[in-house]
Amino acid sequence: MLKYQNWYAGIWVAVVGLYALGWSSLNGALDPALLVFFGVSIVVSIIMAALSSPIPLVKLRWVKRRKPVITIAVFLGFLVDWAYRGSLPVLQSYQGYDPTSTAELSVGIPVFHVVLMAFAIFYTMYLSYLYLSDTQNKGYLWEFLLLIGMLILNNSRGYVVFCLFIMLLLYSSFNSKGIKQTKVGSIVLIVLAAFGVIIFISAAGNIRSGYSWNDCSYIETIGYFNNYPDWLTKHFMWGYSYATSPLANLNLNCLRYNGNLNIAVILFSFLPEQLSAGPLAHGVTIYYVVNHLNAVTGFATFVGAAGVGGAYAAFAGMILLYTFVKVILKKFRVLETFGNALLCFLALSMIFFNCFTTSALCYIPFFLIVASYYLNGRLVSNDIVLLVQEPHPDAPEALGSFTAARRIRGEAR
């Protein structure tokens, strides 16, 4: 469940499969070379996951009372950022992103805003890990809810989904009883929860677009649905457009690749956008099937610079970076479970974002490494302990059926 390779393979099988249904006229035939890329990368991911060792389930608990200093600092950071902006973001009208616009938008204090948002996302996820490691400590939960509230007030609904996804993934990992021991009722509950999320996304999209929650005529029009099955509720249209339009845009960029290799853009596509925005802006043109559906996957700039070969470069770069991070996580142990959950999330996010450049996501590996080093010091000084869930002797380790916990204290390394 916590192997990022499985998440990469699973999500792209789902996206390519949904795309192939052709419910929207935006979904043109995939470039054969692009289709081969996804086939190769999916197979490689599955093999890598099968050959890799299981991810240990480790809970982290502070021995001494932990003061919420960082949470308070993030909270104050939001207040300062909003004061500079001159308003509460959630109260401002959202006009949507226009890829053709060249106007600079003020979203907060330069540089500070980027660091604040990136760290707030990471730390909110970390708080969910602390709470799931020690559910008796309600302070973690209140801190988590406080920062979730700040993200909501910041009009960062997508970031809230990021944090809730990590919390759900960690909860599922810690409480999994294996496929054979999963009750039918639990499966039904999961299906109903997934359906509820789909309805929520649809209702929110309809309302934000100025329609009643149950009126999907707007997305039906802008999503160019011309082959949608009559038996399926139209509430699935929003989710379908979100899932498949990035691939439609990526496919368009593959078809329009001019054949000129731009190595500089490939290299800059691995760097945070604060460093790469200038070179990328002058190096490649990103095309959109329609401007109002502007997600292009994490492969778009690579494809614009080198065709489908650029997608292979991005995939290889992802494997190299995440392998390096996994080595650090395994060495220090303290955030191995949490860190692998974040890698799963980053692999999943490649549907929409370039996780090497997008400010909200690209610093997560760096934060993981720094936090691992810091917390390892706390482990050595016995300020924290690790609780490792042990597999039941009669249960295959891959199924994740656990009956006991082993405590690890710090030791000189």
Side-chain angles (χ1 to χ4, degrees):
M1 183 176 290
L2 292 179
K3 294 183 178 181
Y4 78 86
Q5 301 96 330
N6 283 335
W7 279 92
Y8 175 92
I11 198 62
W12 283 112
V13 165
V15 169
V16 174
L18 287 171
Y19 187 93
L21 294 175
W23 291 345
S24 169
S25 61
L26 300 178
N27 298 358
L30 285 179
D31 185 318
L34 183 62
L35 190 58
V36 169
F37 161 73
F38 281 117
V40 170
S41 62
I42 287 170
V43 170
V44 169
S45 294
I46 293 173
I47 293 174
M48 288 183 63
L51 294 177
S52 63
S53 58
I55 305 301
L57 296 180
V58 181
K59 295 183 176 181
L60 185 154
R61 293 185 182 176
W62 285 82
V63 176
K64 300 178 181 179
R65 182 176 177 83
R66 170 190 153 278
K67 297 180 180 180
V69 176
I70 297 180
T71 300
I72 295 173
V74 173
F75 171 79
L76 294 176
F78 273 107
L79 297 183
V80 171
D81 200 50
W82 295 340
Y84 177 89
R85 184 169 179 167
S87 64
L88 196 62
V90 75
L91 299 180
Q92 293 181 317
S93 61
Y94 177 67
Q95 302 299 325
Y97 168 70
D98 181 4
T100 64
S101 175
T102 58
E104 293 289 336
L105 297 177
S106 176
V107 294
I109 304 174
V111 180
F112 176 80
H113 174 81
V114 172
V115 175
L116 173 67
M117 296 308 301
F119 184 75
I121 294 168
F122 172 81
Y123 198 72
T124 305
M125 293 174 172
Y126 171 67
L127 286 171
S128 73
Y129 171 60
L130 288 182
Y131 174 66
L132 293 174
S133 295
D134 186 8
T135 54
Q136 298 301 313
N137 190 333
K138 302 303 181 184
Y140 297 140
L141 179 60
W142 287 114
E143 289 182 58
F144 172 79
L145 293 176
L146 172 63
L147 294 191
I148 287 290
M150 300 304 283
L151 290 173
I152 292 174
L153 292 176
N154 197 66
N155 209 20
S156 303
R157 289 164 293 188
Y159 299 163
V160 172
V161 174
F162 294 171
C163 298
L164 294 179
F165 171 81
I166 289 296
M167 190 174 200
L168 180 60
L169 178 58
L170 289 170
Y171 176 84
S172 301
S173 300
F174 285 134
N175 293 278
S176 173
K177 296 182 179 180
I179 298 175
K180 294 182 179 179
Q181 299 184 46
T182 301
K183 298 180 180 179
V184 176
S186 298
I187 297 176
V188 172
L189 184 61
I190 292 173
V191 172
L192 291 176
F195 185 74
V197 170
I198 291 172
I199 295 298
F200 172 77
I201 292 174
S202 177
N206 291 335
I207 294 173
R208 187 177 62 179
S209 304
Y211 292 73
S212 67
W213 74 270
N214 200 37
D215 184 355
C216 298
S217 57
Y218 180 69
I219 184 59
E220 185 173 10
T221 300
I222 69 169
Y224 292 84
F225 286 93
N226 64 334
N227 193 31
Y228 196 77
D230 295 332
W231 54 267
L232 185 62
T233 174
K234 291 185 178 181
H235 282 293
F236 191 64
M237 287 180 172
W238 281 100
Y240 185 83
S241 289
Y242 287 153
T244 62
S245 61
L247 182 54
N249 286 327
L250 178 64
N251 186 53
L252 177 63
N253 283 274
C254 283
L255 296 174
R256 292 196 178 186
Y257 171 58
N258 59 19
N260 296 324
L261 177 63
N262 193 325
I263 297 178
V265 170
I266 293 178
L267 295 177
F268 277 109
S269 294
F270 287 110
L271 298 177
E273 58 190 350
Q274 288 74 36
L275 302 175
S276 63
L280 288 184
H282 296 90
V284 298
T285 299
I286 300 300
Y287 300 98
Y288 305 90
V289 178
V290 287
N291 284 339
H292 53 267
L293 295 173
N294 45 63
V296 290
T297 80
F299 300 109
T301 55
F302 294 95
V303 166
V308 176
Y312 285 98
F315 180 68
M318 180 186 74
I319 291 176
L320 289 174
L321 174 61
Y322 294 177
T323 298
F324 172 74
V325 174
K326 284 172 68 69
V327 169
I328 300 298
L329 292 173
K330 189 174 183 65
K331 175 183 178 181
F332 291 127
R333 300 174 298 173
V334 285
L335 292 179
E336 190 168 5
T337 301
F338 174 64
N340 277 281
L342 263 59
L343 293 183
C344 293
F345 162 70
L346 291 177
L348 177 68
S349 298
M350 285 292 284
I351 305 175
F352 308 107
F353 311 104
N354 180 345
C355 296
F356 302 112
T357 63
T358 304
S359 298
L361 306 177
C362 66
Y363 299 108
I364 285 179
F366 171 75
F367 290 146
L368 274 175
I369 293 172
V370 173
S372 294
Y373 180 81
Y374 169 77
L375 290 172
N376 182 68
R378 304 285 69 74
L379 180 66
V380 171
S381 61
N382 290 320
D383 291 332
I384 62 174
V385 295
L386 304 180
L387 300 179
V388 183
Q389 293 187 351
E390 301 286 5
H392 189 281
D394 299 325
E397 189 173 13
L399 294 182
S401 177
F402 302 96
T403 58
R406 176 165 55 90
R407 179 181 293 249
I408 293 180
R409 290 187 178 274
E411 56 188 32
R413 297 180 63 81

